[in-house]
Amino acid sequence: MLGGPIRRCRRVCPVIFFFVSLFIVVLWRRSQIAQHDHEENQEKHIFSNNQEEYVDKRGVHVVVGRYIGNPVNKIPNATYDMINTNNFKPEPNAGKDGLPVVIEPKDLLKMQQLFQINRFNLLASDKIPLNRTLPDVRKKKCRTMYTNYQNYPKSSVIIVFHNEAWSTLFRTVWSVIIRSPKEILEEIILVDDASEREFLKEPLNEYIKTLPVSVKIFRNHKRIGLVAARLLGARKAQGSILVFLDAHCECTTGWLESLVGTIVENPKTIACPVIDIINDDTFSYVKSFELHWGAFNWNLQFRWFTLGGTELKKRSKDNTKPFMTPAMAGGLFAMDRKYFFDLGAYDDGMKVWGGENLELSFRAWQCGGRIEIVPCSHVGHLFRKSSPYTFPGGIGETLYSNLARVALVWMDEWGDFYFKFNEAARKIKDKTDVSNRVQIRKKLHCKNFEWYLNKIWPQHFFPMKDRFFGRIRNVGENQCLIKPLGKETSNQPMGIAKLNECLKEDMVVEMFVMTQDGFIMTDDSVCLDAPEKEVNGVSKVRIMACSGFTRQKWKYNKKTQELIHATNNLCMDISPSKKYTDGLVITECTGTKTQKWKLEEVPWH
Ligand code: UDP
Ligand code: MN
């Protein structure tokens, strides 16, 4: 009875099956390609080798320092042997002078497989000699500075690692050995945070005995995270200066003298090198812009900003002089050992990774210290797009619990602001016990966060008592101003200011700050901006990096509800085309309803 349909299926079904499979494969490939293109576009913006592109013209730098991607628990297709074998096989000229390594086409598959292990091109790294040459990237004048280093105190360089590759770890070590004056290098301290790789065990113990400087290893058999690991290293250190490095760095000529020299000037200074980029694909050494400083956004994500606009003008002609930064990236810095402990070392309640850089930054500034970036000190760091290791307890839990600690101890009302707009951290807040850290804040008579924002980071874009914070609603359209989402591209270098439906809940995209000086700013240091001079009657209003220039100044007339551009007294209005995509403009003030704006306060703490 079933003979008929079955026979028919024998002929037809395989054909159908074939086409359905083909269709699925094509769809899948497409999504893969789209995903890849998307990532490429993002990365180009972030990690371009081209200096011009890298120094973002908006002045705002997203990423670089501390980027968190998707960590993996498993390394796909990697065998035990693949992970546990040390394949370091140097070729004398590979990566010479910091140049990129070229992988032969026949090795591309292998390269891709190996990439997964550490999330960087391990095959390339394994070809580069541990003592490869690097260009001296400093400003010429630096060569004549810090020359009396013989009198400086000695440094202990502390490198913590978890499952680092052999070649990157020991290229870090060798770059310290060959580019630090012997007279001021006390020792190198390695702290193993429960690595599982076989080659990091006994072979490492044997290898460090052969090195020309004192290299010590301390091991944790349970994962303790980078804060606890660095603390352990600091406690073991004999030198009077502590220098912390990630396990995938390369130091260049003059890096140590200039850091220590800065601390000698003022022992309460945390000295940070300029962080150059070791490309995760090619291992080329890319010099980074020297005038970057660090801060953070409303979400407490670390951000680089460019000394630009009015600040650059203020900066003295001497661009080799260390300059202050409100926050540090965290992986690479030097500090007086005694001061490190006097200041409260690290918050040992912090787990795995993240937040410790802001904690130390706030503590330093608020409790009488300072943080400086030293332009004469250049250290390369291998930036990668995602984390290769596991986060016991979950990546979100870990990071938000660390940041909750920062907010609770140091940020006062701005801590409440952080919790208000960050649900994940808010949920952890009540479970978090920071009493021992609050004790330190009291003991050291530290200043409050308001002082920090006003004095250390006056350009900040956080709400304040004397500023407006909330929604900006257009009366005519009954719609609200929003922060443009998405990334800046070369075709659209800046966001056009637009309106959107006013949301019932308080969402970051609709929150703006208006300062006493008339800057209308929002998260990540972006400001409402319009051309200085009138262009043919209408000019578009854009959302651009805050520059401090008057083209970003506005006046709000409470009576007429007009938002008036400071340089040409035009009124902010919706586009005459009324098209949403055309955004806002400044135009002749006529008193029309679409030129009326309500500044609706939103409580932020
Ligand atoms: N690290 C560690 N234990 C951890 C996480 C990280 O010892 O649980 C080390 C890691 O090997 C590296 C340093 O801490 O030397 C900083 O971590 P990572 O480089 O991943 O941070 P990023 O540079 O991406 O911010
Ligand atoms: Mn790192």
Side-chain angles (χ1 to χ4, degrees):
M1 246 171 70
L2 293 170
I6 287 178
R7 214 181 309 134
R8 222 174 303 141
C9 187
R10 257 196 214 142
R11 271 183 282 128
V12 182
C13 291
V15 180
I16 295 175
F17 179 75
F18 173 77
F19 278 106
V20 168
S21 318
L22 189 71
F23 182 63
I24 292 172
V25 167
V26 168
L27 271 187
W28 177 78
R29 271 303 295 163
R30 278 197 161 185
S31 74
Q32 291 268 304
I33 290 167
Q35 171 72 18
H36 179 256
D37 284 355
H38 173 72
E39 281 171 6
E40 275 233 307
N41 281 341
Q42 285 200 335
E43 294 312 327
K44 249 187 218 139
H45 174 72
I46 298 161
F47 291 108
S48 169
N49 276 356
N50 179 321
Q51 179 77 16
E52 276 306 297
E53 275 174 50
Y54 168 65
V55 179
D56 182 337
K57 295 197 185 61
R58 292 187 315 161
V60 177
H61 244 288
V62 186
V63 187
V64 193
R66 315 213 109 211
Y67 177 73
I68 221 167
N70 304 318
V72 272
N73 294 332
K74 272 202 300 210
I75 301 161
N77 307 329
T79 61
Y80 176 90
D81 282 348
M82 244 173 94
I83 295 172
N84 286 286
T85 327
N86 175 11
N87 286 313
F88 174 57
K89 220 184 253 126
E91 295 168 9
N93 288 321
K96 196 177 165 187
D97 292 332
L99 290 172
V101 174
V102 183
I103 303 291
E104 286 173 48
K106 70 171 172 53
D107 291 331
L108 287 180
L109 192 68
K110 192 164 136 208
M111 178 192 86
Q112 276 173 353
Q113 280 183 322
L114 290 170
F115 196 101
Q116 296 308 320
I117 300 175
N118 306 85
R119 298 298 172 98
F120 56 68
N121 191 343
L122 180 60
L123 187 68
S125 178
D126 282 346
K127 287 180 191 294
I128 304 171
L130 298 179
N131 61 354
R132 77 153 150 180
T133 50
L134 289 177
D136 183 348
V137 289
R138 298 170 298 172
K139 292 244 151 51
K140 266 223 177 75
K141 193 182 163 201
C142 296
R143 296 180 197 173
T144 60
M145 295 163 69
Y146 312 104
T147 43
N148 66 335
Y149 60 78
Q150 289 86 350
N151 310 319
Y152 290 172
K154 286 190 169 190
S155 293
S156 294
V157 176
I158 298 164
I159 300 165
V160 306
F161 64 92
H162 173 71
N163 284 340
E164 190 65 46
W166 177 275
S167 50
T168 43
L169 175 61
F170 282 104
R171 207 171 304 114
T172 310
V173 169
W174 271 102
S175 76
V176 172
I177 296 175
I178 58 187
R179 299 201 189 87
S180 311
K182 269 196 250 15
E183 300 90 324
I184 59 168
L185 181 64
E186 174 76 40
E187 62 192 342
I188 297 173
I189 291 180
L190 302 177
V191 183
D192 172 15
D193 186 10
S195 298
E196 292 132 354
R197 311 282 189 255
E198 290 303 331
F199 56 80
L200 293 175
K201 295 176 182 171
E202 209 32 50
L204 183 146
N205 294 346
E206 292 306 313
Y207 180 67
I208 58 174
K209 289 182 199 156
T210 68
L211 295 173
V213 303
S214 161
V215 181
K216 296 169 184 159
I217 172 94
F218 298 96
R219 308 246 187 207
N220 295 289
H221 298 289
K222 251 191 160 160
R223 182 86 174 274
I224 56 174
L226 82 89
V227 161
R230 283 194 197 143
L231 265 173
L232 183 118
R235 290 195 186 107
K236 302 286 181 186
Q238 316 251 305
S240 52
I241 304 286
L242 304 176
V243 184
F244 295 96
L245 292 180
D246 272 11
H248 32 256
C249 290
E250 290 178 56
C251 307
T252 67
T253 313
W255 78 286
L256 186 61
E257 305 89 295
S258 48
L259 291 179
V260 179
T262 304
I263 297 169
V264 168
E265 290 272 310
N266 175 358
K268 289 188 176 180
T269 304
I270 298 177
C272 306
V274 174
I275 306 177
D276 290 333
I277 299 165
I278 302 170
N279 184 287
D280 58 343
D281 271 323
T282 65
F283 275 73
S284 64
Y285 189 100
V286 183
K287 185 185 170 187
S288 148
F289 186 55
E290 279 174 2
L291 301 181
H292 272 159
W293 51 274
F296 46 91
N297 65 5
W298 289 353
N299 232 349
L300 300 186
Q301 288 162 312
F302 181 80
R303 290 284 190 259
W304 289 109
F305 295 100
T306 307
L307 215 52
T310 48
E311 291 146 36
L312 194 60
K313 286 187 173 172
K314 271 189 256 163
R315 190 171 153 78
S316 67
K317 270 176 242 141
D318 185 6
N319 48 18
T320 56
K321 234 177 90 179
F323 57 93
M324 58 173 275
T325 175
M328 62 168 170
L332 291 58
F333 64 96
M335 195 170 171
D336 181 86
R337 192 190 65 213
K338 182 169 181 306
Y339 185 55
F340 177 76
F341 288 106
D342 288 349
L343 191 62
Y346 261 134
D347 177 358
D348 58 7
M350 290 193 166
K351 288 168 265 170
V352 189
W353 180 99
E356 89 294 341
N357 56 328
L358 289 189
E359 197 273 339
L360 181 52
S361 300
F362 297 161
R363 186 152 42 84
W365 281 116
Q366 288 173 239
C367 311
R370 53 188 295 112
I371 310 172
E372 290 184 355
I373 293 174
V374 182
C376 288
S377 178
H378 278 254
V379 178
H381 171 259
L382 179 64
F383 287 98
R384 39 189 172 188
K385 288 136 194 154
S386 58
S387 273
Y389 43 76
T390 55
F391 277 63
I395 190 164
E397 278 281 315
T398 310
L399 186 64
Y400 289 120
S401 121
N402 291 351
L403 290 173
R405 297 183 71 81
V406 179
L408 285 169
V409 179
W410 298 103
M411 295 180 68
D412 309 322
E413 296 99 296
W414 291 268
D416 301 335
F417 171 64
Y418 171 67
F419 291 119
K420 171 165 178 151
F421 289 101
N422 197 308
E423 198 193 339
R426 187 165 65 237
K427 280 188 186 149
I428 301 168
K429 187 185 159 202
D430 293 331
K431 287 186 270 181
T432 310
D433 177 12
V434 289
S435 44
N436 61 337
R437 302 305 291 179
V438 172
Q439 213 52 47
I440 288 178
R441 181 172 163 171
K442 282 203 189 113
K443 194 183 95 193
L444 297 175
H445 305 290
C446 306
K447 298 196 179 73
N448 62 24
F449 203 69
E450 187 178 0
W451 174 88
Y452 169 85
L453 288 176
N454 281 328
K455 294 286 190 268
I456 305 307
W457 189 18
Q459 322 85 325
H460 77 86
F461 41 85
F462 279 68
M464 278 267 158
K465 267 188 235 125
D466 64 353
R467 296 176 168 188
F468 162 79
F469 175 79
R471 280 187 195 77
I472 301 183
R473 187 190 295 259
N474 184 281
V475 174
E477 295 285 301
N478 195 27
Q479 292 215 320
C480 286
L481 185 65
I482 54 157
K483 181 189 172 190
L485 296 172
K487 288 234 158 76
E488 162 190 59
T489 63
S490 48
N491 301 335
Q492 191 180 327
M494 43 214 147
I496 294 170
K498 286 179 190 170
L499 297 179
N500 196 35
E501 184 192 336
C502 299
L503 303 167
K504 285 208 182 66
E505 276 173 58
D506 300 340
M507 304 285 271
V508 166
V509 282
E510 284 188 359
M511 296 298 126
F512 286 83
V513 156
M514 184 164 180
T515 67
Q516 298 249 312
D517 295 337
F519 296 111
I520 298 176
M521 39 178 36
T522 182
D523 196 11
D524 273 316
S525 191
V526 284
C527 281
L528 274 199
D529 177 291
E532 206 100 31
K533 288 189 202 106
E534 194 179 341
V535 195
N536 298 333
V538 281
S539 305
K540 286 200 168 139
V541 178
R542 300 182 185 274
I543 293 206
M544 288 185 64
C546 300
S547 64
F549 291 131
T550 46
R551 57 179 287 155
Q552 295 186 345
K553 276 193 183 184
W554 303 81
K555 280 173 283 184
Y556 182 62
N557 185 329
K558 264 200 184 130
K559 252 204 212 126
T560 63
Q561 293 184 304
E562 289 162 334
L563 269 172
I564 303 156
H565 191 235
T567 60
N568 47 31
N569 284 313
L570 297 176
C571 276
M572 187 152 79
D573 198 345
I574 63 166
S575 156
S577 69
K578 287 218 156 203
K579 254 182 26 209
Y580 162 79
T581 44
D582 286 348
L584 303 175
V585 297
I586 42 172
T587 183
E588 212 68 48
C589 300
T590 57
T592 159
K593 253 187 156 177
T594 54
Q595 289 187 0
K596 294 188 186 299
W597 301 85
K598 269 197 227 161
L599 267 52
E600 299 176 357
E601 300 258 5
V602 167
W604 55 271
H605 63 88

